[in-house]
Amino acid sequence: MFLRLLVETPTTTAEGGSLAATLLTTALPLVLMIAIFYFLLIRPEKKRSKKMKEMLDNLQVADEVVTTGGIIGRVLSVKEDTVLIETGSDRTRLRVLRSSIAENRTVHDEVQS
């Protein structure tokens, strides 16, 4: 059906412009909007999530971390999906999900190749 309409439609519009120019002027804003959304929203979010995953994968014992709830502690052990942290001077131990770690405050020397 669409192919038939495309074949039967004249190549010029009533105003005298070509069909290709009309399609370009209607599709261009949509393409520009998609590009703007990609570069302003999607791409930065992918970078943030990649950086967060890298930080969680590189957690080590004795790192100082902050959870999403605001608890600050030192990592005692790292397992597959949980982390054991020690908080405060009274040595309270908490087992939290690895995904609840918001920030690693320990600075590691990165090996440059």
Side-chain angles (χ1 to χ4, degrees):
M1 175 90 177
F2 179 72
L3 190 57
R4 177 191 275 170
L5 289 174
L6 192 59
V7 171
E8 292 176 0
T9 54
T11 58
T12 59
T13 60
E15 294 82 23
S18 70
L19 182 62
T22 304
L23 287 175
L24 183 64
T25 58
T26 57
L28 187 63
L30 181 63
V31 170
L32 286 174
M33 196 167 23
I34 290 172
I36 289 170
F37 274 116
Y38 177 76
F39 284 108
L40 292 179
L41 298 174
I42 299 169
R43 190 166 179 233
E45 183 59 34
K46 283 185 179 181
K47 281 185 175 181
R48 274 191 293 274
S49 65
K50 182 179 178 182
K51 187 177 178 182
M52 183 67 148
K53 184 182 180 316
E54 183 179 307
M55 185 269 301
L56 291 175
D57 289 342
N58 293 330
L59 278 179
Q60 299 175 356
V61 175
D63 283 351
E64 186 177 29
V65 296
V66 179
T67 66
T68 55
I71 298 171
I72 300 172
R74 291 212 178 267
V75 175
L76 295 179
S77 71
V78 179
K79 294 189 178 175
E80 189 174 321
D81 60 344
T82 61
V83 176
L84 184 66
I85 62 173
E86 182 178 75
T87 63
S89 61
D90 59 349
R91 298 182 182 241
T92 304
R93 293 180 179 193
L94 299 171
R95 190 173 67 148
V96 297
L97 289 174
R98 187 185 279 232
S99 61
S100 70
I101 303 292
E103 179 184 354
N104 185 351
R105 291 191 171 182
T106 306
V107 178
H108 293 284
D109 294 331
E110 295 184 18
V111 178
Q112 299 290 330
S113 298

